[in-house]
Amino acid sequence: MRALYTITDLTREFEVTTRTLRFYEQQGLIDPLRRGRTRLYRPADRTRLNLILRGKRLGFSLAEIREIVDMYDAPPGEHGQLTLLVDKIARKRTELQARRHDIDQTLAELDAVEAGCRDRLAKIPKGRQ
Amino acid sequence: MRALYTITDLTREFEVTTRTLRFYEQQGLIDPLRRGRTRLYRPADRTRLNLILRGKRLGFSLAEIREIVDMYDAPPGEHGQLTLLVDKIARKRTELQARRHDIDQTLAELDAVEAGCRDRLAKIPKGRQ
DNA sequence: CAGAATATTGACTTTTACGTCAAAGTCAAA
DNA sequence: TTTGACTTTGACGTAAAAGTCAATATTCTG
């Protein structure tokens, strides 16, 4: 695990463009170091990027992703804030479970479609195109 | 299960706007009957809409959703086409499994964050705000 | 230290997935 | 039959999430 990454290091590793990284920064999702004006990403920045891209794959908007990654930051010290965070987590969990259910349903349906295909394939005489 | 639905029936049931339904139709995702110019949706159209919205929840683009819902249509009769469809299904399955993995990871992390919160909460003296 | 490669900021453009009118047709009830 | 609710098409607008391009720095490398 290296100490610091340049912007192109990350674009190569995660297959995103520099524009994307700068856009995420502008949106307050990442905040790399600077050496002069040049961005330098720490392992923690890299981890955050990983979270962001995972959120994207799950179809969350950047605003929703911000909600999620903010939860990973140092938890607050105050009782009320902690309770709010726990509630937020509960809601996100429910949402994610619903999406997993969507996935499972889709997978089951694809299984059924595939079974149908295989049935038909089996009925096509061998040697026929 | 009713025979036919009007456009507003579906907007109410699925909480989408008429604009959305007409847009999906324009994109070739649904193709309701017409009585005169008025759209009439069959149960099959309703099912398709269900699939579309599930795809949206999973973060697929309409183009990707078209790919998926097209698989549910009557499977082709020709051997080559059937094989292609089976391959397509395999790819989608892999993709969906990857997303489920993303979800599971996120859920695990949320669990960890919540555990941290509960730890901290337990350490705050009772009666304190 | 010159030249190539890489970075930065800023402005403008694009794509997707609709939202928002506007104008006109349709149908059902009072 | 007119009023009002609903529908249709069409045109234009918009927000999110970048892509693209230009004009400058900066930085590495031989």
Side-chain angles (χ1 to χ4, degrees), chain B:
Chain B
M1 212 218 268
R2 293 167 47 190
L4 295 173
Y5 309 85
T6 71
I7 197 166
T8 30
D9 288 342
L10 292 190
T11 63
R12 280 184 193 132
E13 179 174 359
F14 293 100
E15 310 235 79
V16 293
T17 66
T18 59
R19 181 67 182 88
T20 300
L21 292 180
R22 289 193 273 260
F23 181 72
Y24 290 166
E25 181 176 341
Q26 190 188 316
Q27 299 300 306
L29 289 168
I30 334 179
D31 189 20
L33 296 175
R34 298 281 180 138
R35 182 178 53 204
R37 298 213 269 175
T38 305
R39 292 164 175 82
L40 287 175
Y41 296 82
R42 289 153 292 186
D45 297 314
R46 188 178 160 283
T47 299
R48 261 181 108 81
L49 179 57
N50 229 325
L51 293 178
I52 295 167
L53 296 177
R54 198 164 71 198
K56 291 233 67 184
R57 288 196 300 273
L58 293 177
F60 288 110
S61 72
L62 290 185
E64 292 169 308
I65 289 170
R66 193 200 326 275
E67 281 240 316
I68 298 175
V69 298
D70 282 353
M71 294 184 195
Y72 292 76
D73 289 340
E78 200 231 316
H79 183 285
Q81 296 299 321
L82 279 167
T83 310
L84 284 179
L85 182 50
V86 168
D87 288 356
K88 213 179 209 174
I89 289 172
R91 281 194 299 278
K92 269 300 164 204
R93 189 179 356 248
T94 303
E95 196 179 340
L96 287 167
Q97 283 164 349
R99 290 200 182 183
R100 189 166 53 180
H101 186 247
D102 282 334
I103 289 178
D104 288 342
Q105 265 192 272
T106 309
L107 281 170
E109 285 160 8
L110 288 182
D111 285 351
V113 175
E114 181 176 352
C117 287
R118 295 206 182 282
D119 261 22
R120 291 188 169 225
L121 278 170
K123 281 176 193 141
I124 294 177
K126 289 159 196 169
R128 270 263 236 104
Q129 263 284 27

